[in-house]
Amino acid sequence: LADIDGQDNDGDAALANPEAASFARSLRNHLLYISLAPNCPRMSLTHDGGVFAVAFSPDGTKLATGSDDKTARLWDVATGKPVGKPLLHGAMVRSVTFSRDGTKLATASHDKTARIWDVVTHKLLGEPLKHPQDVVSAGFNPDGTPLTE
């Protein structure tokens, strides 16, 4: 992806939220969040490593990020502050996806697992889904059950 504001890019995530007139773009070890709504500041959401995945919650109030610092994070879109503790993996988090109802988050990692998290409690729901290779994508079927690649 092209550089923004003259910064080198160590991540590769970008996402628009047309309903909220906002977008998010990874730059080095942080995610730049910009809202076009009146009185909404430009925010930088920081990880300890490059940001490689981003997703808006279905209601547009939260952002999820995945990083090579081995964490996924949830962020409050209105304040730019982290929501809860980091969601831990053993390697880079390559994918983050909210369930349709916004209550669960699927994460995929190069630690060869996909994990399903409760968005409110930040607790892991069940055991990690193990795979023989790095997991690069995780999501949900229309019925809400996990789907991984």
Side-chain angles (χ1 to χ4, degrees), residues 10-87:
D10 290 338
D12 68 351
L15 184 67
N17 185 354
E19 293 82 18
S22 59
F23 69 91
R25 170 74 160 81
S26 66
L27 297 166
R28 292 190 185 159
N29 66 337
H30 62 276
L31 188 80
L32 180 65
Y33 172 75
I34 299 175
S35 174
L36 303 179
N39 303 319
C40 237
R42 182 178 183 163
M43 294 180 270
S44 180
L45 316 176
T46 305
H47 271 271
D48 289 335
V51 177
F52 287 87
V54 60
F56 282 100
S57 63
D59 66 4
T61 63
K62 292 182 187 68
L63 267 172
T65 53
S67 173
D68 64 3
D69 68 4
K70 305 178 187 177
T71 69
R73 298 225 49 162
L74 291 167
W75 306 88
D76 182 300
V77 167
T79 65
K81 300 218 182 281
V83 177
K85 61 183 180 183
L87 309 175

